[in-house]
Amino acid sequence: MTYVYPVVSRRAGGVSVGINLNPNNACNWRCIYCQVPGLTRGAAPEIDLALLERELSGFLHELLQGDFMVTRVPESARRINDIALSGNGEPTSAKAFVEVIELIGRVMARFDLTGKIKLVLITNGSLLDKAYVQAGLQQMRSLNGEVWFKLDSATREGLRRINHAELSPERVFVNLQTAAGLCTTWLQTCMFAIDGAAPPEAEQQAYLDFVRRIVSAGVPVQGVLLYGLARPSQQPEAPRLSALPAGWMEVFAEKIRACGLAVKVSL
């Protein structure tokens, strides 16, 4: 299919129905841990909304009334957890983002899924200042929507090094405030070693200070989805990257909790 794909999600604990609005493998960021081969800088192409609706409806029919769950999914994960806008680039770069959310809402209602599963947007948050993105998040709120907002670094240097993003931490904070004010929002953070070394102390401290600012400002962030490397990067930096020990991740999670946010850890 062009847009719709299934994932047995380790983080979600069930089947996540993925929607890829970037089949051209284009993104406005280039994260060094990205699993997309042939990643290019750019935006989502024009979306064929009719095709997207046919694919989503057809696959949900197969999940709910066909044998996909029995033949393809481990027994412990045989449930639909969510519909997730993710894929091979930044989904909010699709100009038809609002129309896509409306389309998903129609299909969810058709299958009596509204309010029973989540609609998740996995985003780098860089386009939250755009009116059409904000309108999409407002639509998501009525569909049990949840935003997973990327924050891998809270320094300008870290954003450049990890995400190849020319964005200030202040802009990230403002965009996060916007997202959390429109829809249920979690921070999504990937932590890993570069050349065998964990994130420097200054990077860790900047991240924790950012979390403290979220809490002190009353930004209604639900918590942090903290995860490590589980699949190989397809970027040039891949040989330099490795997973951090589980103990390191748990210690850092405790530091985040001490700042006032809940944490879910996925290794």
Side-chain angles (χ1 to χ4, degrees), residues 29-91:
W29 285 16
R30 189 186 73 77
C31 301
I32 61 176
Y33 56 81
C34 183
Q35 303 156 17
V36 176
L39 183 70
T40 61
R41 299 297 286 260
E46 183 177 350
I47 306 300
D48 184 336
L49 295 170
L51 177 58
L52 172 57
E53 187 159 0
R54 288 197 301 273
E55 289 187 358
L56 182 57
S57 296
F59 187 62
L60 286 174
H61 182 273
E62 179 65 21
L63 279 178
L64 294 168
Q65 301 176 29
D67 64 357
F68 186 92
M69 287 288 196
V70 174
T71 60
R72 305 289 186 88
V73 181
E75 186 174 357
S76 61
R78 288 176 186 167
R79 67 183 186 92
I80 302 177
N81 185 78
D82 57 54
I83 296 173
L85 288 150
S86 179
N88 294 2
E90 174 50 43

Side-chain angles (χ1 to χ4, degrees), residues 17-30:
V17 180
I19 296 181
N20 178 20
L21 300 182
N22 303 75
N24 59 349
N25 292 1
C27 188
N28 63 336
W29 285 16
R30 189 186 73 77

Side-chain angles (χ1 to χ4, degrees), residues 45-196:
E46 183 177 350
I47 306 300
D48 184 336
L49 295 170
L51 177 58
L52 172 57
E53 187 159 0
R54 288 197 301 273
E55 289 187 358
L56 182 57
S57 296
F59 187 62
L60 286 174
H61 182 273
E62 179 65 21
L63 279 178
L64 294 168
Q65 301 176 29
D67 64 357
F68 186 92
M69 287 288 196
V70 174
T71 60
R72 305 289 186 88
V73 181
E75 186 174 357
S76 61
R78 288 176 186 167
R79 67 183 186 92
I80 302 177
N81 185 78
D82 57 54
I83 296 173
L85 288 150
S86 179
N88 294 2
E90 174 50 43
T92 63
S93 68
K95 299 305 181 185
F97 183 68
V98 175
E99 291 82 357
V100 168
I101 301 301
E102 292 171 345
L103 180 160
I104 295 170
R106 290 196 304 272
V107 175
M108 289 175 70
R110 192 180 307 151
F111 286 89
D112 192 30
L113 292 172
T114 307
K116 297 180 180 179
I117 65 172
K118 295 178 183 177
L119 172 57
V120 177
L121 169 65
I122 301 175
T123 176
N124 61 33
S126 62
L127 301 176
L128 258 295
D129 59 326
K130 306 297 184 184
Y132 76 91
V133 179
Q134 295 175 20
L137 264 61
Q138 288 177 317
Q139 293 276 355
M140 283 184 60
R141 183 168 53 192
S142 65
L143 298 171
N144 198 24
E146 193 167 282
V147 176
W148 293 6
F149 188 108
K150 182 188 297 292
L151 179 67
D152 297 325
S153 173
T155 70
R156 188 183 287 272
E157 296 75 15
L159 287 162
R160 286 181 181 139
R161 182 176 61 255
I162 296 171
N163 309 118
H164 284 84
E166 290 298 329
L167 205 66
S168 71
E170 183 61 31
R171 170 47 59 186
V172 174
F173 187 84
V174 170
N175 286 355
L176 177 63
Q177 280 184 308
T178 300
L182 294 169
C183 191
T184 299
T185 298
W186 289 77
L187 288 181
Q188 180 191 227
T189 298
C190 186
M191 286 287 181
F192 51 91
I194 300 178
D195 298 328

Side-chain angles (χ1 to χ4, degrees), residues 196-250:
E201 187 64 34
E203 278 285 329
Q204 294 181 45
Q205 193 59 53
Y207 184 97
L208 297 172
D209 288 344
F210 193 95
V211 171
R212 291 188 189 95
R213 184 181 176 191
I214 290 169
V215 174
S216 65
V219 181
V221 170
Q222 303 301 302
V224 178
L225 304 173
L226 180 65
Y227 68 106
L229 294 183
R231 301 181 184 92
S233 166
Q234 296 296 318
Q235 305 310 306
E237 296 86 353
R240 301 177 58 199
L241 311 183
S242 58
L244 290 163
W248 190 98
M249 296 286 284
E250 291 294 347

